[in-house]
Amino acid sequence: AQSVTQLGSHVSVSEGALVLLRCNYSSSVPPYLFWYVQYPNQGLQLLLKYTSAATLVKGINGFEAEFKKSETSFHLTKPSAHMSDAAEYFCAVRTGYSTLTFGKGTMLLVSP
Amino acid sequence: EAGVTQFPSHSVIEKGQTVTLRCDPISGHDNLYWYRRVMGKEIKFLLHFVKESKQDESGMPNNRFLAERTGGTYSTLKVQPAELEDSGVYFCASSQGGQKIQETQYFGPGTRLLVL
């Protein structure tokens, strides 16, 4: 069975600093991996997804993630945090037709 | 193009009452999914419709939950009778169609259910 672990329920950064949100997955088959973001009072919005075409995936709002099979990781990064990046971020894996399996989420806090 | 919409945005009910949540997917999307996030836990899959048929309902917690998608358009999720542990945020998502597991699921804003 597939699973996702997000390290850190809360991550705090200063505006302009590097953002690194960690995600490790467990899957017995090649995974399809997703990062979603939820801004306050909104639904989940897709940031980016890995579908085996390229290991470095670029998403919206300057975010990117690198798939590392040897480390079973799919960490999300952004070179310079913006105040508007404050939100909750979810890593998810999909190996079946129906189901997305989510991590517990990481709340990103950005201070001025 | 309108996104996935859900109604109501919030619902507060007493234990033992019935609540019905509604989801309108993106127009033309054959796939519709329900997920739930209980406070402090991860978002968990409940079920998946392809058009009006239930493709996978392995995540439904028990028979107090009934999901329907008559006509293959909007869907309802009824909880009857509601229990305290049913409190959480219920998300609906939709995707276009076809057997593509890398297909993006588009999520609605969720319905926040509180059972007292």
Side-chain angles (χ1 to χ4, degrees), chain A residues 4 30-32 34 36 38-46 49-51 88 90 94-107, chain B residues 31 33 35 37 40-45 48 50 55-56 58 89 91 95 97-110 112:
Chain A
V4 171
Y32 292 96
F34 302 78
Y36 282 86
Q38 185 180 22
Y39 298 103
N41 300 315
Q42 295 186 29
L44 281 78
Q45 179 182 0
L46 181 70
K49 63 181 179 182
Y50 167 74
T51 59
E88 192 164 18
F90 296 91
R94 191 176 188 191
T95 54
Y97 179 46
S98 295
T99 315
L100 275 174
T101 301
F102 286 88
K104 289 189 175 183
T106 298
M107 188 69 72
Chain B
N31 295 296
Y33 313 82
Y35 291 83
R37 188 184 193 192
K41 301 285 184 76
E42 60 271 30
I43 300 168
K44 286 202 168 180
F45 168 81
H48 170 205
V50 177
Q55 174 78 20
D56 182 350
S58 60
V89 182
F91 292 102
S95 67
Q99 301 277 344
K100 301 176 184 175
I101 69 172
Q102 70 270 35
E103 190 175 65
T104 297
Q105 295 184 15
Y106 297 90
F107 282 76
R112 283 147 185 82

Short mmCIF file of all heavy atoms in Angstrom, two decimals, chain A residues 4 30-32 34 36 38-46 49-51 88 90 94-107, chain B residues 31 33 35 37 40-45 48 50 55-56 58 89 91 95 97-110 112:
data_model
loop_
_atom_site.label_atom_id
_atom_site.label_comp_id
_atom_site.label_asym_id
_atom_site.label_seq_id
_atom_site.Cartn_x
_atom_site.Cartn_y
_atom_site.Cartn_z
N VAL A 4 2.32 8.45 2.28
CA VAL A 4 3.09 9.68 2.15
C VAL A 4 3.38 10.22 3.53
O VAL A 4 2.48 10.25 4.39
CB VAL A 4 2.29 10.73 1.33
CG1 VAL A 4 2.98 12.08 1.39
CG2 VAL A 4 2.12 10.28 -0.10
N PRO A 30 5.77 2.29 -9.55
CA PRO A 30 6.15 3.69 -9.86
C PRO A 30 5.02 4.63 -9.49
O PRO A 30 3.88 4.46 -9.93
CB PRO A 30 6.38 3.64 -11.37
CG PRO A 30 6.80 2.24 -11.63
CD PRO A 30 6.02 1.39 -10.67
N PRO A 31 5.32 5.64 -8.70
CA PRO A 31 4.27 6.51 -8.20
C PRO A 31 4.00 7.70 -9.11
O PRO A 31 4.86 8.12 -9.88
CB PRO A 31 4.83 6.99 -6.87
CG PRO A 31 6.30 7.11 -7.15
CD PRO A 31 6.63 5.98 -8.12
N TYR A 32 2.80 8.21 -9.02
CA TYR A 32 2.50 9.53 -9.52
C TYR A 32 2.32 10.43 -8.30
O TYR A 32 1.55 10.12 -7.40
CB TYR A 32 1.23 9.51 -10.38
CG TYR A 32 1.44 8.75 -11.67
CD1 TYR A 32 1.06 7.42 -11.78
CD2 TYR A 32 2.03 9.36 -12.77
CE1 TYR A 32 1.27 6.72 -12.96
CE2 TYR A 32 2.24 8.67 -13.95
CZ TYR A 32 1.87 7.35 -14.04
OH TYR A 32 2.08 6.65 -15.20
N PHE A 34 1.98 14.32 -6.37
CA PHE A 34 1.34 15.62 -6.52
C PHE A 34 1.65 16.48 -5.30
O PHE A 34 1.77 15.98 -4.18
CB PHE A 34 -0.18 15.46 -6.63
CG PHE A 34 -0.65 14.58 -7.76
CD1 PHE A 34 -0.60 13.20 -7.65
CD2 PHE A 34 -1.15 15.14 -8.92
CE1 PHE A 34 -1.03 12.38 -8.69
CE2 PHE A 34 -1.59 14.34 -9.97
CZ PHE A 34 -1.53 12.96 -9.85
N TYR A 36 -0.30 19.77 -3.61
CA TYR A 36 -1.44 20.68 -3.61
C TYR A 36 -1.22 21.75 -2.55
O TYR A 36 -0.54 21.52 -1.54
CB TYR A 36 -2.74 19.93 -3.29
CG TYR A 36 -3.34 19.14 -4.42
CD1 TYR A 36 -2.93 17.83 -4.67
CD2 TYR A 36 -4.34 19.69 -5.22
CE1 TYR A 36 -3.51 17.09 -5.71
CE2 TYR A 36 -4.92 18.96 -6.25
CZ TYR A 36 -4.50 17.67 -6.49
OH TYR A 36 -5.07 16.95 -7.51
N GLN A 38 -3.44 24.71 -0.17
CA GLN A 38 -4.74 25.20 0.25
C GLN A 38 -4.57 26.55 0.93
O GLN A 38 -3.99 26.62 2.03
CB GLN A 38 -5.45 24.23 1.18
CG GLN A 38 -6.87 24.68 1.52
CD GLN A 38 -7.59 23.72 2.45
OE1 GLN A 38 -6.98 22.94 3.17
NE2 GLN A 38 -8.91 23.78 2.44
N TYR A 39 -5.04 27.60 0.28
CA TYR A 39 -5.05 28.91 0.89
C TYR A 39 -6.28 29.01 1.79
O TYR A 39 -7.26 28.28 1.61
CB TYR A 39 -5.06 30.00 -0.19
CG TYR A 39 -3.84 29.96 -1.07
CD1 TYR A 39 -3.90 29.42 -2.36
CD2 TYR A 39 -2.62 30.44 -0.62
CE1 TYR A 39 -2.79 29.37 -3.17
CE2 TYR A 39 -1.49 30.38 -1.43
CZ TYR A 39 -1.59 29.84 -2.69
OH TYR A 39 -0.47 29.78 -3.49
N PRO A 40 -6.25 29.90 2.75
CA PRO A 40 -7.38 30.01 3.69
C PRO A 40 -8.72 30.15 2.98
O PRO A 40 -8.85 30.95 2.03
CB PRO A 40 -7.03 31.27 4.49
CG PRO A 40 -5.54 31.35 4.44
CD PRO A 40 -5.17 30.82 3.08
N ASN A 41 -9.67 29.34 3.41
CA ASN A 41 -11.05 29.39 2.90
C ASN A 41 -11.16 29.06 1.41
O ASN A 41 -12.13 29.47 0.75
CB ASN A 41 -11.69 30.75 3.17
CG ASN A 41 -11.74 31.05 4.66
OD1 ASN A 41 -12.11 30.20 5.46
ND2 ASN A 41 -11.34 32.25 5.02
N GLN A 42 -10.18 28.34 0.89
CA GLN A 42 -10.25 27.92 -0.51
C GLN A 42 -10.07 26.41 -0.60
O GLN A 42 -9.74 25.75 0.38
CB GLN A 42 -9.18 28.64 -1.33
CG GLN A 42 -9.38 30.15 -1.42
CD GLN A 42 -8.37 30.79 -2.36
OE1 GLN A 42 -7.90 30.18 -3.31
NE2 GLN A 42 -8.07 32.05 -2.09
N GLY A 43 -10.31 25.90 -1.79
CA GLY A 43 -10.09 24.47 -2.02
C GLY A 43 -8.63 24.17 -2.29
O GLY A 43 -7.79 25.07 -2.32
N LEU A 44 -8.33 22.91 -2.48
CA LEU A 44 -6.97 22.50 -2.80
C LEU A 44 -6.68 22.84 -4.26
O LEU A 44 -7.46 22.55 -5.15
CB LEU A 44 -6.78 21.00 -2.59
CG LEU A 44 -6.58 20.53 -1.16
CD1 LEU A 44 -7.89 20.47 -0.42
CD2 LEU A 44 -5.91 19.17 -1.14
N GLN A 45 -5.52 23.44 -4.47
CA GLN A 45 -5.11 23.82 -5.82
C GLN A 45 -3.84 23.07 -6.18
O GLN A 45 -2.91 22.99 -5.37
CB GLN A 45 -4.86 25.33 -5.86
CG GLN A 45 -4.40 25.87 -7.19
CD GLN A 45 -4.14 27.36 -7.15
OE1 GLN A 45 -4.29 28.02 -6.13
NE2 GLN A 45 -3.74 27.91 -8.28
N LEU A 46 -3.80 22.50 -7.37
CA LEU A 46 -2.62 21.76 -7.78
C LEU A 46 -1.45 22.69 -8.02
O LEU A 46 -1.55 23.66 -8.77
CB LEU A 46 -2.91 20.98 -9.06
CG LEU A 46 -1.75 20.14 -9.58
CD1 LEU A 46 -1.50 18.94 -8.65
CD2 LEU A 46 -2.01 19.66 -11.00
N LYS A 49 2.87 18.26 -10.51
CA LYS A 49 2.74 16.81 -10.42
C LYS A 49 3.89 16.13 -11.15
O LYS A 49 4.41 16.65 -12.15
CB LYS A 49 1.40 16.34 -10.97
CG LYS A 49 1.17 16.63 -12.45
CD LYS A 49 -0.23 16.13 -12.85
CE LYS A 49 -0.51 16.42 -14.32
NZ LYS A 49 -1.89 15.98 -14.72
N TYR A 50 4.28 14.99 -10.65
CA TYR A 50 5.31 14.16 -11.26
C TYR A 50 4.64 12.97 -11.93
O TYR A 50 3.91 12.21 -11.29
CB TYR A 50 6.30 13.66 -10.21
CG TYR A 50 7.19 12.57 -10.74
CD1 TYR A 50 8.23 12.87 -11.62
CD2 TYR A 50 6.99 11.24 -10.38
CE1 TYR A 50 9.04 11.87 -12.13
CE2 TYR A 50 7.81 10.24 -10.89
CZ TYR A 50 8.82 10.56 -11.75
OH TYR A 50 9.62 9.57 -12.26
N THR A 51 4.92 12.83 -13.24
CA THR A 51 4.30 11.72 -13.97
C THR A 51 5.33 10.93 -14.75
O THR A 51 5.02 10.32 -15.77
CB THR A 51 3.23 12.25 -14.94
OG1 THR A 51 3.87 13.17 -15.85
CG2 THR A 51 2.13 12.96 -14.20
N GLU A 88 -1.38 26.00 3.54
CA GLU A 88 -1.09 24.62 3.91
C GLU A 88 -0.80 23.84 2.63
O GLU A 88 -1.52 23.96 1.64
CB GLU A 88 -2.25 23.99 4.67
CG GLU A 88 -1.89 22.66 5.31
CD GLU A 88 -2.86 22.20 6.38
OE1 GLU A 88 -3.99 22.71 6.43
OE2 GLU A 88 -2.47 21.32 7.18
N PHE A 90 0.07 20.11 0.74
CA PHE A 90 -0.17 18.68 0.85
C PHE A 90 0.57 17.94 -0.26
O PHE A 90 0.45 18.30 -1.44
CB PHE A 90 -1.67 18.37 0.71
CG PHE A 90 -2.52 18.95 1.79
CD1 PHE A 90 -3.09 20.21 1.65
CD2 PHE A 90 -2.76 18.24 2.96
CE1 PHE A 90 -3.88 20.75 2.64
CE2 PHE A 90 -3.56 18.77 3.97
CZ PHE A 90 -4.11 20.03 3.81
N ARG A 94 -0.50 8.80 -6.02
CA ARG A 94 -1.60 8.07 -6.67
C ARG A 94 -1.03 6.89 -7.44
O ARG A 94 -0.24 7.07 -8.36
CB ARG A 94 -2.33 9.01 -7.62
CG ARG A 94 -3.64 8.44 -8.15
CD ARG A 94 -4.33 9.47 -8.99
NE ARG A 94 -5.67 9.07 -9.38
CZ ARG A 94 -6.41 9.69 -10.29
NH1 ARG A 94 -5.93 10.75 -10.90
NH2 ARG A 94 -7.61 9.27 -10.58
N THR A 95 -1.43 5.70 -7.07
CA THR A 95 -1.00 4.51 -7.79
C THR A 95 -2.18 3.68 -8.26
O THR A 95 -2.02 2.69 -8.92
CB THR A 95 -0.08 3.62 -6.93
OG1 THR A 95 -0.75 3.32 -5.71
CG2 THR A 95 1.23 4.32 -6.65
N GLY A 96 -3.35 4.12 -7.91
CA GLY A 96 -4.56 3.46 -8.38
C GLY A 96 -5.38 4.45 -9.15
O GLY A 96 -5.14 5.65 -9.11
N TYR A 97 -6.37 3.97 -9.86
CA TYR A 97 -7.16 4.85 -10.71
C TYR A 97 -7.94 5.88 -9.90
O TYR A 97 -8.13 7.01 -10.31
CB TYR A 97 -8.11 4.03 -11.58
CG TYR A 97 -8.99 4.86 -12.47
CD1 TYR A 97 -8.48 5.91 -13.22
CD2 TYR A 97 -10.35 4.60 -12.56
CE1 TYR A 97 -9.29 6.67 -14.03
CE2 TYR A 97 -11.17 5.35 -13.38
CZ TYR A 97 -10.65 6.39 -14.12
OH TYR A 97 -11.46 7.13 -14.92
N SER A 98 -8.40 5.47 -8.74
CA SER A 98 -9.28 6.34 -7.98
C SER A 98 -8.58 7.23 -6.97
O SER A 98 -8.83 8.42 -6.89
CB SER A 98 -10.33 5.50 -7.23
OG SER A 98 -11.18 4.84 -8.13
N THR A 99 -7.72 6.61 -6.21
CA THR A 99 -7.37 7.21 -4.93
C THR A 99 -6.14 8.09 -4.96
O THR A 99 -5.10 7.71 -5.49
CB THR A 99 -7.11 6.09 -3.90
OG1 THR A 99 -8.14 5.12 -4.02
CG2 THR A 99 -7.08 6.64 -2.50
N LEU A 100 -6.26 9.26 -4.36
CA LEU A 100 -5.10 10.05 -3.95
C LEU A 100 -4.88 9.79 -2.47
O LEU A 100 -5.81 9.91 -1.68
CB LEU A 100 -5.34 11.54 -4.16
CG LEU A 100 -5.09 12.14 -5.53
CD1 LEU A 100 -5.53 13.59 -5.55
CD2 LEU A 100 -3.63 12.04 -5.91
N THR A 101 -3.66 9.43 -2.11
CA THR A 101 -3.30 9.27 -0.71
C THR A 101 -2.48 10.47 -0.28
O THR A 101 -1.42 10.73 -0.86
CB THR A 101 -2.51 7.97 -0.50
OG1 THR A 101 -3.31 6.86 -0.92
CG2 THR A 101 -2.15 7.79 0.96
N PHE A 102 -2.98 11.19 0.71
CA PHE A 102 -2.36 12.44 1.13
C PHE A 102 -1.50 12.28 2.36
O PHE A 102 -1.74 11.42 3.22
CB PHE A 102 -3.45 13.47 1.47
CG PHE A 102 -4.15 14.05 0.28
CD1 PHE A 102 -5.26 13.44 -0.27
CD2 PHE A 102 -3.69 15.23 -0.29
CE1 PHE A 102 -5.91 13.98 -1.36
CE2 PHE A 102 -4.34 15.79 -1.38
CZ PHE A 102 -5.45 15.17 -1.92
N GLY A 103 -0.52 13.18 2.48
CA GLY A 103 0.18 13.36 3.73
C GLY A 103 -0.67 14.23 4.65
O GLY A 103 -1.74 14.70 4.27
N LYS A 104 -0.16 14.45 5.86
CA LYS A 104 -0.93 15.19 6.86
C LYS A 104 -0.93 16.69 6.63
O LYS A 104 -1.68 17.41 7.29
CB LYS A 104 -0.42 14.88 8.26
CG LYS A 104 -0.77 13.47 8.72
CD LYS A 104 -0.44 13.27 10.18
CE LYS A 104 -0.90 11.89 10.64
NZ LYS A 104 -0.66 11.68 12.09
N GLY A 105 -0.11 17.15 5.71
CA GLY A 105 -0.08 18.57 5.42
C GLY A 105 1.00 19.30 6.20
O GLY A 105 1.34 18.92 7.33
N THR A 106 1.53 20.35 5.60
CA THR A 106 2.50 21.21 6.26
C THR A 106 2.04 22.64 6.12
O THR A 106 1.80 23.13 5.00
CB THR A 106 3.91 21.08 5.62
OG1 THR A 106 4.37 19.74 5.78
CG2 THR A 106 4.89 22.04 6.29
N MET A 107 1.90 23.30 7.26
CA MET A 107 1.51 24.72 7.24
C MET A 107 2.76 25.56 7.08
O MET A 107 3.70 25.45 7.88
CB MET A 107 0.80 25.07 8.55
CG MET A 107 0.19 26.46 8.54
SD MET A 107 -1.21 26.59 7.44
CE MET A 107 -2.41 25.66 8.36
N ASN B 31 -15.49 12.04 -13.83
CA ASN B 31 -15.05 11.50 -12.55
C ASN B 31 -15.35 12.47 -11.42
O ASN B 31 -15.08 13.67 -11.54
CB ASN B 31 -13.55 11.23 -12.56
CG ASN B 31 -13.17 10.15 -13.53
OD1 ASN B 31 -13.55 9.01 -13.37
ND2 ASN B 31 -12.42 10.51 -14.55
N TYR B 33 -15.07 12.66 -7.05
CA TYR B 33 -14.50 12.02 -5.86
C TYR B 33 -14.95 12.76 -4.61
O TYR B 33 -15.12 13.98 -4.62
CB TYR B 33 -12.96 12.08 -5.91
CG TYR B 33 -12.33 11.67 -7.21
CD1 TYR B 33 -12.24 12.56 -8.27
CD2 TYR B 33 -11.81 10.39 -7.39
CE1 TYR B 33 -11.66 12.20 -9.47
CE2 TYR B 33 -11.22 10.02 -8.59
CZ TYR B 33 -11.15 10.94 -9.62
OH TYR B 33 -10.56 10.57 -10.82
N TYR B 35 -13.69 13.22 -0.56
CA TYR B 35 -12.64 13.04 0.43
C TYR B 35 -13.10 13.68 1.73
O TYR B 35 -13.98 14.54 1.76
CB TYR B 35 -11.33 13.72 -0.01
CG TYR B 35 -10.63 13.10 -1.19
CD1 TYR B 35 -11.02 13.42 -2.49
CD2 TYR B 35 -9.58 12.21 -1.01
CE1 TYR B 35 -10.36 12.86 -3.59
CE2 TYR B 35 -8.91 11.66 -2.11
CZ TYR B 35 -9.31 11.99 -3.38
OH TYR B 35 -8.66 11.44 -4.46
N ARG B 37 -11.45 15.27 5.62
CA ARG B 37 -10.34 15.53 6.52
C ARG B 37 -10.90 15.75 7.91
O ARG B 37 -11.55 16.76 8.18
CB ARG B 37 -9.52 16.74 6.08
CG ARG B 37 -8.26 16.89 6.91
CD ARG B 37 -7.48 18.13 6.58
NE ARG B 37 -6.14 18.08 7.16
CZ ARG B 37 -5.32 19.12 7.22
NH1 ARG B 37 -5.69 20.29 6.73
NH2 ARG B 37 -4.12 18.99 7.76
N GLY B 40 -6.84 17.43 12.38
CA GLY B 40 -5.55 16.90 12.80
C GLY B 40 -5.09 15.69 12.03
O GLY B 40 -3.99 15.19 12.27
N LYS B 41 -5.92 15.22 11.12
CA LYS B 41 -5.55 14.02 10.36
C LYS B 41 -5.37 14.37 8.87
O LYS B 41 -5.58 15.50 8.45
CB LYS B 41 -6.65 12.96 10.51
CG LYS B 41 -6.92 12.53 11.94
CD LYS B 41 -5.83 11.63 12.44
CE LYS B 41 -6.10 11.11 13.84
NZ LYS B 41 -7.11 10.04 13.88
N GLU B 42 -4.98 13.37 8.12
CA GLU B 42 -4.79 13.60 6.69
C GLU B 42 -6.11 13.52 5.94
O GLU B 42 -7.11 13.00 6.44
CB GLU B 42 -3.79 12.59 6.11
CG GLU B 42 -4.20 11.14 6.23
CD GLU B 42 -3.73 10.51 7.52
OE1 GLU B 42 -3.60 11.20 8.55
OE2 GLU B 42 -3.50 9.29 7.51
N ILE B 43 -6.10 14.06 4.75
CA ILE B 43 -7.26 13.99 3.86
C ILE B 43 -7.38 12.54 3.39
O ILE B 43 -6.41 11.96 2.89
CB ILE B 43 -7.08 14.92 2.65
CG1 ILE B 43 -6.92 16.37 3.12
CG2 ILE B 43 -8.26 14.78 1.70
CD1 ILE B 43 -6.45 17.31 2.02
N LYS B 44 -8.59 11.98 3.54
CA LYS B 44 -8.77 10.57 3.18
C LYS B 44 -9.85 10.40 2.13
O LYS B 44 -10.90 11.04 2.19
CB LYS B 44 -9.10 9.76 4.42
CG LYS B 44 -7.91 9.55 5.33
CD LYS B 44 -8.10 8.35 6.24
CE LYS B 44 -6.79 8.00 6.92
NZ LYS B 44 -6.90 6.85 7.81
N PHE B 45 -9.59 9.52 1.22
CA PHE B 45 -10.50 9.18 0.13
C PHE B 45 -11.74 8.49 0.68
O PHE B 45 -11.64 7.62 1.55
CB PHE B 45 -9.76 8.26 -0.84
CG PHE B 45 -10.63 7.60 -1.86
CD1 PHE B 45 -11.04 8.27 -3.00
CD2 PHE B 45 -11.04 6.29 -1.69
CE1 PHE B 45 -11.82 7.65 -3.96
CE2 PHE B 45 -11.82 5.65 -2.64
CZ PHE B 45 -12.22 6.34 -3.78
N HIS B 48 -15.43 7.24 -5.29
CA HIS B 48 -15.20 7.72 -6.65
C HIS B 48 -16.36 7.29 -7.54
O HIS B 48 -16.70 6.11 -7.59
CB HIS B 48 -13.87 7.12 -7.16
CG HIS B 48 -13.59 7.31 -8.61
ND1 HIS B 48 -12.76 6.46 -9.32
CD2 HIS B 48 -13.99 8.26 -9.50
CE1 HIS B 48 -12.68 6.87 -10.57
NE2 HIS B 48 -13.41 7.96 -10.70
N VAL B 50 -17.72 7.28 -11.54
CA VAL B 50 -17.53 7.53 -12.96
C VAL B 50 -18.92 7.69 -13.54
O VAL B 50 -19.71 6.73 -13.55
CB VAL B 50 -16.78 6.38 -13.66
CG1 VAL B 50 -16.68 6.67 -15.15
CG2 VAL B 50 -15.41 6.17 -13.06
N GLN B 55 -17.37 3.73 -8.81
CA GLN B 55 -16.20 2.99 -9.26
C GLN B 55 -15.47 2.36 -8.08
O GLN B 55 -14.94 1.25 -8.17
CB GLN B 55 -15.26 3.95 -9.99
CG GLN B 55 -13.92 3.37 -10.40
CD GLN B 55 -14.03 2.51 -11.64
OE1 GLN B 55 -14.99 2.63 -12.41
NE2 GLN B 55 -13.07 1.66 -11.86
N ASP B 56 -15.42 3.12 -6.98
CA ASP B 56 -14.65 2.67 -5.81
C ASP B 56 -15.26 3.36 -4.60
O ASP B 56 -15.28 4.57 -4.52
CB ASP B 56 -13.18 3.06 -5.98
CG ASP B 56 -12.30 2.60 -4.83
OD1 ASP B 56 -12.81 2.14 -3.78
OD2 ASP B 56 -11.06 2.73 -4.96
N SER B 58 -14.37 2.19 -1.41
CA SER B 58 -13.64 1.51 -0.35
C SER B 58 -13.36 2.40 0.86
O SER B 58 -13.06 1.89 1.94
CB SER B 58 -12.32 0.97 -0.90
OG SER B 58 -11.52 2.03 -1.39
N VAL B 89 -13.86 18.30 7.43
CA VAL B 89 -14.06 19.00 6.16
C VAL B 89 -14.22 17.96 5.07
O VAL B 89 -13.38 17.07 4.92
CB VAL B 89 -12.87 19.93 5.82
CG1 VAL B 89 -13.15 20.67 4.52
CG2 VAL B 89 -12.62 20.91 6.95
N PHE B 91 -14.35 17.26 1.19
CA PHE B 91 -13.94 17.81 -0.10
C PHE B 91 -14.51 16.98 -1.23
O PHE B 91 -14.58 15.75 -1.14
CB PHE B 91 -12.41 17.80 -0.23
CG PHE B 91 -11.70 18.75 0.67
CD1 PHE B 91 -11.07 18.29 1.82
CD2 PHE B 91 -11.62 20.10 0.37
CE1 PHE B 91 -10.38 19.16 2.66
CE2 PHE B 91 -10.94 20.98 1.20
CZ PHE B 91 -10.34 20.51 2.34
N SER B 95 -12.44 15.09 -12.13
CA SER B 95 -11.46 15.02 -13.20
C SER B 95 -12.15 14.62 -14.48
O SER B 95 -13.26 14.07 -14.44
CB SER B 95 -10.32 14.05 -12.86
OG SER B 95 -10.78 12.73 -12.82
N GLY B 97 -11.80 12.42 -17.26
CA GLY B 97 -12.29 11.11 -17.66
C GLY B 97 -11.20 10.29 -18.29
O GLY B 97 -10.12 10.78 -18.57
N GLY B 98 -11.49 9.02 -18.49
CA GLY B 98 -10.50 8.12 -19.07
C GLY B 98 -9.65 7.50 -18.00
O GLY B 98 -9.58 7.98 -16.88
N GLN B 99 -8.99 6.42 -18.33
CA GLN B 99 -8.20 5.68 -17.35
C GLN B 99 -6.78 6.24 -17.30
O GLN B 99 -5.83 5.61 -17.73
CB GLN B 99 -8.17 4.19 -17.73
CG GLN B 99 -9.53 3.54 -17.81
CD GLN B 99 -10.02 3.11 -16.44
OE1 GLN B 99 -9.26 3.02 -15.51
NE2 GLN B 99 -11.31 2.84 -16.34
N LYS B 100 -6.65 7.43 -16.73
CA LYS B 100 -5.34 8.07 -16.64
C LYS B 100 -5.07 8.40 -15.19
O LYS B 100 -5.64 9.34 -14.64
CB LYS B 100 -5.32 9.36 -17.45
CG LYS B 100 -5.63 9.17 -18.94
CD LYS B 100 -5.67 10.51 -19.65
CE LYS B 100 -6.08 10.36 -21.09
NZ LYS B 100 -6.25 11.66 -21.76
N ILE B 101 -4.17 7.64 -14.57
CA ILE B 101 -3.99 7.88 -13.14
C ILE B 101 -3.15 9.12 -12.87
O ILE B 101 -3.10 9.56 -11.73
CB ILE B 101 -3.41 6.64 -12.43
CG1 ILE B 101 -1.96 6.39 -12.86
CG2 ILE B 101 -4.26 5.44 -12.69
CD1 ILE B 101 -1.31 5.31 -12.03
N GLN B 102 -2.53 9.69 -13.90
CA GLN B 102 -1.81 10.93 -13.66
C GLN B 102 -2.70 12.15 -13.87
O GLN B 102 -2.27 13.27 -13.74
CB GLN B 102 -0.59 11.05 -14.58
CG GLN B 102 -0.90 11.27 -16.05
CD GLN B 102 -1.07 9.99 -16.83
OE1 GLN B 102 -1.57 9.00 -16.33
NE2 GLN B 102 -0.60 9.98 -18.07
N GLU B 103 -3.97 11.90 -14.16
CA GLU B 103 -4.91 12.98 -14.42
C GLU B 103 -5.11 13.83 -13.16
O GLU B 103 -5.19 13.30 -12.04
CB GLU B 103 -6.24 12.36 -14.84
CG GLU B 103 -7.25 13.33 -15.37
CD GLU B 103 -8.49 12.60 -15.86
OE1 GLU B 103 -9.18 11.98 -15.04
OE2 GLU B 103 -8.76 12.63 -17.06
N THR B 104 -5.22 15.12 -13.36
CA THR B 104 -5.37 16.03 -12.23
C THR B 104 -6.79 15.99 -11.68
O THR B 104 -7.75 16.03 -12.45
CB THR B 104 -5.03 17.47 -12.66
OG1 THR B 104 -3.66 17.51 -13.06
CG2 THR B 104 -5.25 18.45 -11.51
N GLN B 105 -6.89 15.92 -10.38
CA GLN B 105 -8.17 16.08 -9.72
C GLN B 105 -8.29 17.52 -9.25
O GLN B 105 -7.39 18.04 -8.59
CB GLN B 105 -8.28 15.12 -8.53
CG GLN B 105 -8.28 13.66 -8.93
CD GLN B 105 -8.48 12.72 -7.75
OE1 GLN B 105 -8.90 13.12 -6.67
NE2 GLN B 105 -8.19 11.45 -7.95
N TYR B 106 -9.41 18.16 -9.59
CA TYR B 106 -9.67 19.55 -9.22
C TYR B 106 -10.61 19.56 -8.02
O TYR B 106 -11.69 18.97 -8.09
CB TYR B 106 -10.26 20.31 -10.39
CG TYR B 106 -9.34 20.38 -11.58
CD1 TYR B 106 -9.35 19.40 -12.56
CD2 TYR B 106 -8.43 21.43 -11.70
CE1 TYR B 106 -8.48 19.45 -13.65
CE2 TYR B 106 -7.56 21.50 -12.78
CZ TYR B 106 -7.58 20.50 -13.74
OH TYR B 106 -6.72 20.56 -14.80
N PHE B 107 -10.19 20.25 -6.98
CA PHE B 107 -10.91 20.21 -5.72
C PHE B 107 -11.81 21.43 -5.52
O PHE B 107 -11.50 22.54 -5.95
CB PHE B 107 -9.94 20.13 -4.55
CG PHE B 107 -9.37 18.76 -4.34
CD1 PHE B 107 -8.38 18.26 -5.17
CD2 PHE B 107 -9.85 17.95 -3.32
CE1 PHE B 107 -7.87 16.98 -4.99
CE2 PHE B 107 -9.35 16.67 -3.12
CZ PHE B 107 -8.35 16.19 -3.96
N GLY B 108 -12.91 21.18 -4.83
CA GLY B 108 -13.75 22.26 -4.37
C GLY B 108 -13.27 22.82 -3.05
O GLY B 108 -12.30 22.31 -2.48
N PRO B 109 -13.93 23.85 -2.53
CA PRO B 109 -13.50 24.51 -1.30
C PRO B 109 -13.81 23.71 -0.04
O PRO B 109 -13.30 24.03 1.03
CB PRO B 109 -14.27 25.83 -1.31
CG PRO B 109 -15.49 25.54 -2.11
CD PRO B 109 -15.07 24.55 -3.15
N GLY B 110 -14.64 22.70 -0.15
CA GLY B 110 -14.96 21.88 1.01
C GLY B 110 -16.19 22.35 1.76
O GLY B 110 -16.60 23.52 1.67
N ARG B 112 -17.45 22.37 5.69
CA ARG B 112 -17.00 22.16 7.07
C ARG B 112 -18.19 21.72 7.89
O ARG B 112 -19.13 22.49 8.11
CB ARG B 112 -16.39 23.45 7.60
CG ARG B 112 -14.99 23.66 7.08
CD ARG B 112 -14.64 25.13 6.88
NE ARG B 112 -13.32 25.25 6.25
CZ ARG B 112 -13.10 25.13 4.94
NH1 ARG B 112 -14.09 24.89 4.12
NH2 ARG B 112 -11.88 25.24 4.46
#
